[in-house]
């Protein structure tokens, strides 16, 4: 989680130079964000990440040599604390599901506003998940509601799950509900156990189906 006043180090990965330069120029205007490097494919990004030590890698999916899905898998295996934010033109349920399953912390489309891009970067840097509205709708549009059997959540667990689905970090939830971070984490684990769910994407889907958002 980023500390107050610390600089958020970002690496950009996209095979379109104009996109890279445009995003870099926008982020350089943002106080507290430093674009430490850029790459045009997954292989080059993997070469640079150890030296650059970014907090967040913001990466496209469709790239030559190594695409964003393969790069995400390798990043998470080698650097489990590294946060991956996908920035893509693909509003595709399979892509979104795969990337979240393999460890990406966020997914936004290239038509989001610059302000939303910055918000997504800061959110994933703090350890929470960020999926833009259009990608969220795509992810759940054809999904069937999850049958929970008798694994009913308490009101406190529903309150926490609703905030998790909105992208709140455990610290933000603890501040809002006036409970400790440890208590929030305990509730989150209980929710996963009760619902037999493992990923944030699955929890978000459940919250969406149950109208907890």
């Amino acid at each position: 989680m980023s500390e107050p006043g610390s600089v958020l180090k970002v690496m950009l990965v996209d095979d379109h130079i104009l996109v890279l330069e445009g995003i870099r120029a926008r982020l350089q205007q943002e106080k507290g964000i430093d674009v430490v490097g850029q790459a045009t494919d997954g292989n080059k990004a993997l070469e640079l990440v150890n030296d650059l030590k970014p907090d967040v890698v913001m990466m496209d999916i469709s790239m030559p040599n190594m695409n964003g899905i393969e790069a995400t898998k390798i990043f998470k295996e080698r650097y489990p604390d590294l946060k991956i934010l996908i920035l893509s033109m693909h509003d595709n349920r399979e892509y979104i599901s795969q990337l979240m399953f393999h460890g990406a912390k966020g997914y936004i489309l290239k038509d989001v506003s610059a302000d939303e891009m910055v918000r997504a970067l800061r959110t994933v840097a703090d350890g929470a998940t960020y999926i833009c509205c259009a990608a969220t709708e795509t992810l759940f549009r054809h999904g069937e509601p999850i049958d929970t059997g008798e694994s009913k959540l308490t009101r406190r667990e529903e309150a926490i799950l609703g905030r998790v689905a909105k992208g709140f970090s455990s610290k933000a939830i603890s501040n809002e509900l006036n409970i400790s971070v440890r208590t929030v984490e305990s509730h989150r684990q209980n929710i996963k156990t009760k619902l037999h769910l493992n990923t944030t994407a699955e929890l978000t889907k459940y919250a969406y189906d149950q109208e907890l958002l």
Side-chain angles (χ1 to χ4, degrees), residues 91-97 133-146 205-206 208-209:
D91 185 7
N92 181 292
R93 189 170 189 263
E94 183 178 352
Y95 281 159
I96 301 168
S97 298
C133 290
T136 300
E137 290 175 3
T138 296
L139 189 60
F140 303 133
R141 187 177 299 138
H142 304 297
E144 294 298 324
I146 297 172
K205 173 172 170 47
Y206 175 85
Y208 182 88
D209 291 335

Side-chain angles (χ1 to χ4, degrees), residues 53-141:
K53 294 180 170 54
D55 302 303
V56 180
V57 172
M58 185 157 68
M59 181 164 55
D60 193 9
I61 298 175
S62 300
M63 298 180 293
N65 302 320
M66 181 185 293
N67 65 39
I69 296 173
E70 291 302 318
T72 296
K73 293 179 188 178
I74 298 173
F75 272 131
K76 296 309 292 184
E77 288 172 1
R78 297 182 185 176
Y79 309 98
D81 294 331
L82 180 65
K83 308 300 190 303
I84 308 293
L85 172 63
I86 300 299
L87 175 65
S88 175
M89 64 180 288
H90 297 294
D91 185 7
N92 181 292
R93 189 170 189 263
E94 183 178 352
Y95 281 159
I96 301 168
S97 298
Q98 280 192 59
L99 283 153
M100 302 305 288
F101 176 79
H102 289 300
K105 292 296 291 182
Y107 194 108
I108 56 177
L109 299 180
K110 287 186 175 180
D111 61 358
V112 300
S113 68
D115 287 345
E116 183 170 4
M117 182 190 302
V118 170
R119 186 161 64 251
L121 278 168
R122 296 193 186 282
T123 298
V124 301
D126 282 340
T129 300
Y130 192 101
I131 306 176
C132 70
C133 290
T136 300
E137 290 175 3
T138 296
L139 189 60
F140 303 133
R141 187 177 299 138

Side-chain angles (χ1 to χ4, degrees), residues 197-212:
L197 302 176
N198 295 310
T199 69
T200 300
E202 290 172 332
L203 292 172
T204 303
K205 173 172 170 47
Y206 175 85
Y208 182 88
D209 291 335
Q210 300 300 315
E211 299 182 349
L212 300 178

